[in-house]
Amino acid sequence: MTNWPVYGEITGPIVMIGFGSIGRGTLPLIERHLKFDKSRFVVIAPDDQNRHLLDERGIRFIQEAVTIENYKSMLEPLLTAGGGQGFCVNLSCDTGSRDIMELCSSLGALYIDTVNEPWLGFYFDESKGPGERSNYALREMTLAAKRARAPGSTTAVSCCGANPGMASWLAKKALLNIASDMRLNVPQPKTREEWAGLMKQVGVKGIHIAERDTQRSKNPKPPGVFVNTWSVEGFISEGVQPAELGWGTHEKWMPENARTHESGSQAAIYLMQAGAETKVRSWCPTPGPQYGFLVTHNESISIADYFTVRDESGKAIYRPTCHYAYHPANDAVLSLHEMFGNAGRPQKEHHILEENEVVDGIDELGVLLYGHDKGAYWFGSQLSTEETRKLAPYQTATGLQVTSAVLAGMVWALENPKAGIVEVEEMDLDRCLEIQMPYLGPVKGYYTDWTPLDGRPGLFPEDIDTSDPWQFRNILVR
């Protein structure tokens, strides 16, 4: 495309926090699709690794970390300078999402992030128990701020990347596809209750955010270096959090090391083990059956919560199980083995693969809706390295799936500027996917008759439930 559609205008300053792999990939999409005053664009980051991209454009750069001590004094003058409505694009690790979105609200500025990010130290705080370090706890803090907001407050889009973010839009679209193939002849739901009712009617027992990253580097991973196709710090942080999953009402068994939460939505449980050390059985179109890591993600909880059906007393009578099932790039798998082999101490050197280092491969990221009468259905993006290079600069396939979702969330916020704190499940999936789809490569759906009981038990006895293949008992690798 040469004539990129312009979706809206940012009338005030743009403050981008973080300029790593996602920040630098988001920049050209903002340039293509939004009107703004370049002289009022500022990027804040603790290192200047990608500064040349800003210098080339004449965009102001502040080399400093945004911290709990300085965020107010640093951001307030930047977001209010020169009039108009400012927009804070938070794409950094270790920046307190809730605090920054509340500051933005007080200033009348729009806000978006890709993660419910805490301040530095949260993920590795030994004084906190696993439940306190969970994404469930982080989400509940954001939901408390959401409930406390006055109606019509400035929009803050929470957790709007590929996953969390796009995955929730894909889950809704996949549900509509299955309902159509079942000839249910139901209109597209308009409310949360209608969406949950349709998920129950279709008979979905669970949802995997099922991903396979096959991108390969020209250079094999050296010892002592954590290599990934996206933020190493972000992956390590979520990888050492406890494994978390939305907990379905069809489940008959719970792992011995599982724990529930005493307050909040009660939509999820967590395991007393790191998510990146927890394996599950899943399925993607290209590899077929595969192992994935049950790394905690906000969408595992928010999707399960959103699609919960409750009776008049408030008791959950239907909820799908939901969790991430992530097979990262091979270099990242080796990096995890090396890290956990060293008692979970991260490597001192981190490296994010850049677009010119990747030889080939795809990031196959979608949702697997299972347990209904048609078996299991995967729907998602199969974005290749080659297509990514044609579509946008400065990013891998993994990065483009994230940055295009950030763009969609920014456009939605500009079009809905007084929506308060918003989770992605509450946004218009058709509008968001319309904006994002040109950057996702092939977006396809696949039915499969695979179940996690296929070929089992094998050479050894297994603790499985043959009465229902879609029990978490059969999915968790033990």
Side-chain angles (χ1 to χ4, degrees), residues 416-466:
N416 301 269
K418 295 186 178 298
I421 296 174
V422 177
E423 293 195 293
V424 288
E425 291 82 9
E426 300 171 298
M427 298 163 72
D428 180 351
L429 82 147
D430 295 317
R431 178 56 171 159
C432 292
L433 285 179
E434 176 189 7
I435 295 162
Q436 194 182 10
M437 200 71 79
Y439 292 108
L440 295 180
V443 177
K444 297 181 179 179
Y446 300 83
Y447 284 102
T448 175
D449 58 4
W450 172 84
T451 80
L453 288 183
D454 280 9
R456 301 170 65 197
L459 298 173
F460 302 93
E462 290 193 77
D463 177 21
I464 55 179
D465 184 346
T466 57

Side-chain angles (χ1 to χ4, degrees), residues 140-161:
E140 286 297 324
M141 287 191 290
T142 300
L143 290 179
K146 175 182 173 72
R147 290 190 292 268
R149 285 275 193 104
S153 66
T154 310
T155 299
V157 179
S158 176
C159 297
C160 189

